[in-house]
Amino acid sequence: MQKLYIFLLVFCQMCFLKIADVGADFSLEEEVTAMKSQMSVMQGKIDVLERKVYSQEDKIIEQQTQKHAYERRIQELESQSTQQPQAPVAPSMPSRVPGTKWIPDIGAVADVVLTVDHAKTDDEGGNRISLRELELVLGSNVDPYSRLDATVSFSDSEEPSLEEAYLTRFGLPLETTARIGKFLPKVGKVLGVHRDSLDTVDEPLVITKFFGAEGMSKSGFDLTKMVNIPWPITHQLTFGVLEGGNGEDGTAFGTARKRPTLYAHLKNYFDMSDRTGLEVGFSPMFGSKDEGANLDVRVLGVDATLVHHLSANQDLKFQAEAFNLDRKKTIDDEGNSLGGNFWGTYGLVDFRFHPQWATGFRYDYVEPVDNPADNPKSMDMGYTGYLAFHQSEFARWRLQYTHTDLSTGKGDDTVYLQGTFAIGEHKHKLQ
Amino acid sequence: MKSIMIKRLPYLFFLGVLFLFSMSPERVMAAEKPLEIVATQALFADLVKQVGQDKVDVRAIASPKFNIHFIQPRPSDVRDVTQADLYVNAGLDLEAWSDPLLEAVGRPQLFRRGERNLDLSSGIRLLKVPDHPVTRAEGDIHLFGNPHFQMNPENARIMVRVISEKLKEIDPVNASYYEENAKVFLGRLDRKIAEWKSLCAHCVGKEIISYHDDIVYFADFLGLKADQELEPKPGIPPTPKHFQFLEDYVKEHQVKAIVLPTYFSRSTAEKLAKRIGAKVATICQNVGEAPGTDDFFSFFDYNFKQISEALQ
């Protein structure tokens, strides 16, 4: 009996302990839950406090900014009070000197050339010094949409002439820009620029023989636009219509001005690297040989220019152009062949090896268009070397030697010393 | 057959030209598309990026490795500006190539004073404004005052505000975003200016010689004296005569440093420095010009460290 009593007592104790354990478990869970909720509340409070801190920081920054502004204002007022002259504040766009704002940009470029020429074709040679050209350049905006540019050329050996006078109309539909008037066509690399932008004293032979002594500046109109072709290459297309004819002593087209010349130029440019760029252009031209003809002369031009910037002060440029001229072939009364298919090309290397110095070489090849049958050669070839010194941004000296082998079988050696000087406003158009 | 084809060549040519003209550059303003922004200089591009962050795609035309006066814009620059929503530039007459570039682009709204042309000289206090009729006899002098105003970090306050206002104007949907970014930048700028002033406190009142007259705003910020340049006149390369003048000049003036950006000849500066016992320091003119100058703050960190060490 006693044993049974002890057993029951132990059994009851164990049951009680078990129940107590379960109760303890329930109590702990409640405690954890309560703590979690407390933590959640505290986290919320921390978030609020953090937001307050950020807000305070913003206010501090703002007040610091204001403080600096006030400090600057105080300094300004102090400097005013001591009667010291204040540095002017730039207007949104600086105006020119009052009273001159309607005067257009005016510039002048003088080109003085000393020529020592012992031409075997000319007993007198060609030794002379001359003001080859003084270009007076004018330009200004006409209105918000257009600009007028004009270049008048003076020389000590020729009558004054109008080289260019054209209106540029910006912002036309299809992102197009138009020019109308008398201008240099955007064909290749040399035909579209003035002499002061050339790397050499004279134009390449193919330009002078095909198009004229200074290229061809003609009246007409053209349209230019960037072409959106999804390649990593930049394309610019120009299309133009010019009056007929050539430049001075050019032979590509006839002289009938009423027979227009159509031209186009597709410029393709590729950035090979930050320092190197390659441009390749194609230029078809269609003109007329004489009044009775209609677009029977075709000129196809290709140009390529590679520019590499060796450093901030050293540039290397390779440039070449080739033209194929196709004219209807005829034989004159003396049996000379006129017209036919002709090639002309040049290649140029220009090395700017110092901020002030540059040197270069040019090779020329051209087949004369109206070449008499008794000429022993069918082409003129030229070799040119030069050294240029840039006295400043606006003054340049150039020494050049050119040897030419003519189709007549004779040769020509010429040395030039050229000085080119610019005053006033004269910004070159982008090429 | 061949002759017929040849005769029709001009007309085929016309058709080709018409086809190509019909292909217009895409320039679509869409809310989700970042603004296309072209800046003339890398520092301006970085300031625009600091304000616009991921809402802008910005690139600079001029490589910081080259002298900003003599940049030759490329056809790819013409293309990029043609398609840009905003053109950011220094105004004045620093970037002489900018106007021919914009004429080649042919969009009137990008021209000077156009609604998409942002002239960062607006509101800047200019130094060395000519007080007399200028001529080229004074060198390549600037008509409206010294245009290298980006060299004073204080001027970034004005530039960033101008940028922020313009971005808000052309992209009002993200106005608060630009405002907030500008505020963050200006807050950081305040702290950095205090840091830079402290770093260069010992430079105040000291004299330096620069290669070109491009350091005047930098000197103004630090309280330096910078009255002489290696160039006898702006844009005119150093001459032996002027070199001699500077040698005589430093006998009466305590010149501790000759400063120049990376694109000028260091040998001339070193030659003079050796004779007068000064140090040569590279002071960059633009972000990215030297290693470790990748953004506005690291650019000025670099410059102030250079001048601080040179004038120790």
Side-chain angles (χ1 to χ4, degrees), chain B residues 85-96:
Chain B
D85 297 307
L86 184 65
Y87 179 71
V88 182
N89 62 98
L92 308 175
D93 52 357
L94 175 68
E95 299 142 347

Side-chain angles (χ1 to χ4, degrees), chain A residues 58 61-62 64-66 68-69 72 76 86-96 141 144-145 147 149 168-172 174-177 223-239 241 262-264 266-267 269 271 273-277 279 284 286 294-295 298 300 307 309 311-313 315 326 355-356 390-394 422-425 427-431, chain B residues 6-7 9-11 13-14 16-27 59 63 65-67 69-70 72-80 82-83 91-93 95-97 99-109 111-113 119-129 136 139-140 143-144 154 157-158 161 180 183-184 186-188 190-191 193-194 235-238 262-265:
Chain A
D58 284 348
I61 289 168
E62 199 172 337
Q64 277 180 340
T65 309
Q66 282 180 351
H68 282 286
R72 283 197 303 280
E76 283 173 11
Q86 276 289 99
V89 174
S92 58
M93 160 55 199
S95 60
R96 292 171 184 279
N141 277 66
Y145 316 105
R147 176 183 171 87
D149 288 280
T168 307
R169 176 64 164 84
F170 305 107
L172 291 172
L174 297 174
E175 306 278 353
T176 304
T177 299
L223 300 167
T224 300
K225 70 165 289 177
M226 304 300 290
V227 182
N228 184 35
I229 298 175
W231 295 330
I233 299 176
T234 304
H235 308 277
Q236 188 186 56
L237 180 66
T238 300
F239 165 71
V241 181
L262 311 179
Y263 81 93
L266 179 63
K267 179 192 289 188
Y269 178 81
D271 282 314
S273 72
D274 286 348
R275 291 175 175 269
T276 311
E279 181 184 322
F286 299 95
N294 187 20
L295 302 177
R298 285 180 293 277
L300 297 176
V307 177
H309 300 286
S311 69
N313 299 308
D315 299 331
D326 191 66
Q356 291 181 277
H390 296 257
Q391 176 180 303
S392 70
E393 194 184 343
F394 308 100
I423 58 171
E425 286 275 349
K427 291 177 181 172
H428 290 130
K429 305 287 179 190
L430 284 197
Q431 300 308 314
Chain B
I6 289 172
K7 278 181 183 174
L9 201 56
Y11 307 108
F13 159 75
F14 266 126
V17 165
L18 279 174
F19 172 72
L20 288 171
F21 261 84
S22 68
M23 304 178 78
S24 284
E26 281 181 27
R27 185 155 37 80
R59 68 160 291 240
S63 164
K65 310 282 184 192
F66 299 135
N67 187 341
H69 293 93
F70 304 117
Q72 295 175 341
R74 300 163 295 182
S76 50
D77 297 322
V78 177
R79 176 200 59 202
D80 290 347
T82 301
Q83 299 178 18
L92 308 175
D93 52 357
E95 299 142 347
W97 41 270
D99 288 330
L101 168 67
L102 294 176
E103 282 174 26
V105 168
R107 286 177 56 202
Q109 61 268 50
F111 292 175
R112 284 183 189 253
R113 292 195 174 217
D119 175 354
L120 287 185
S121 69
S122 298
I124 300 285
R125 285 157 44 86
L126 295 177
L127 302 175
K128 290 199 171 181
V129 177
R136 294 278 185 215
D140 194 4
L143 291 173
F144 313 114
E154 293 275 9
R157 294 182 209 280
I158 298 161
R161 287 199 188 101
E180 188 62 29
K183 197 187 281 183
V184 169
L186 293 172
R188 190 177 172 198
D190 283 332
R191 292 192 291 274
I193 282 178
I236 305 297
T262 58
Y263 44 78
F264 285 128
S265 168

